[in-house]
Amino acid sequence: MLTALAILAGRLSRFLLRLRGGGSAVPGRVLLALSPRFLGRAVERMPLGVVFVSGSNGKSTTTHMLVSILRAHGLSVFSNPTGANLPQGIASAMLATVPLDGRLREDVAVLEVDEAFGDQLAKQLAPHSVLLINIQVDQLNRFYEPARVAGMLESFARVADRHLVINADDHNLVELAARLAGGQAEQSAFAASP
């Protein structure tokens, strides 16, 4: 009952914000304020679970490509297509399709995740697979150094128990994968260079 009311409140706030001429993560904030465990509940019955895509640059493009591939193979996929990759943004994206019982009906969720919020989201969404694209010094005012970003990515890559996929052209990610070697997740890599 509380979940249904939280979803309705989130949808109402989305409607009111759109009347005003804007959309934002506020509906997701409303939803999560009323139902703090909403994200975990939304994905807990998905047959193929949750996949995270993260890194410094290229998250949206990579997420779109992965979603397209999975859909081409006949799977129904939930994603956050606008790049809203913080908890409230993901909750806002869920408002568009989630039924009032709060459980997504798609086969799998492929989510673009902000580096700094990945650990928090992993605790709620329990991704079985994580795809890491790169670590770059593109947001010095926010992250200060690549080692800090690597630590953030590593914290939620450890949650993956099926697959960890990394960009082998990024030495920071190669080092991260080495630290996680021997864990539960099967590791694989991709690279542009031969």
Side-chain angles (χ1 to χ4, degrees):
M1 178 75 170
L2 180 58
T3 300
L5 292 174
I7 291 168
L8 291 171
R11 287 181 178 159
L12 176 63
S13 66
R14 184 178 62 183
F15 173 76
L16 294 173
L17 284 168
R18 287 188 177 165
L19 283 179
R20 190 185 78 140
S24 72
V26 170
R29 250 178 232 222
V30 169
L31 173 58
L32 293 176
L34 296 172
S35 183
R37 297 185 328 182
F38 170 79
L39 292 174
R41 177 183 173 86
V43 301
E44 70 186 358
R45 292 190 184 165
M46 294 186 104
L48 300 177
V50 178
V51 176
F52 277 8
V53 177
S54 195
S56 299
N57 294 300
K59 293 183 288 285
S60 296
T61 300
T62 305
T63 301
H64 286 294
M65 289 190 305
L66 184 54
V67 168
S68 295
I69 291 167
L70 293 173
R71 286 181 177 154
H73 286 284
L75 295 175
S76 61
V77 183
F78 171 80
S79 191
N80 48 337
T82 62
N85 57 19
L86 304 179
Q88 60 272 20
I90 293 171
S92 288
M94 289 179 176
L95 280 171
T97 62
V98 71
L100 291 179
D101 69 358
R103 299 182 194 281
L104 291 168
R105 301 296 196 261
E106 289 83 359
D107 297 317
V108 62
V110 177
L111 301 173
E112 173 184 335
V113 174
D114 181 84
E115 308 92 305
F117 286 85
D119 190 43
Q120 174 188 345
L121 285 163
K123 289 173 184 166
Q124 298 174 61
L125 296 167
H128 59 68
S129 299
V130 173
L131 168 60
L132 300 177
I133 304 165
N134 53 38
I135 298 174
Q136 297 178 358
V137 187
D138 66 331
Q139 298 180 38
L140 284 176
N141 61 333
R142 185 171 174 219
F143 295 135
Y144 309 111
E145 60 187 25
R148 184 168 182 215
V149 178
M152 292 173 186
L153 296 176
E154 184 175 343
S155 71
F156 64 87
R158 287 186 180 282
V159 175
D161 58 6
R162 291 190 204 162
H163 305 283
L164 173 61
V165 182
I166 63 139
N167 175 359
D169 287 330
D170 187 306
H171 74 278
N172 290 302
L173 292 179
V174 171
E175 291 173 7
L176 183 156
R179 288 192 299 275
L180 297 178
Q184 292 182 341
E186 177 184 322
Q187 290 190 14
S188 57
F190 63 92
S193 58

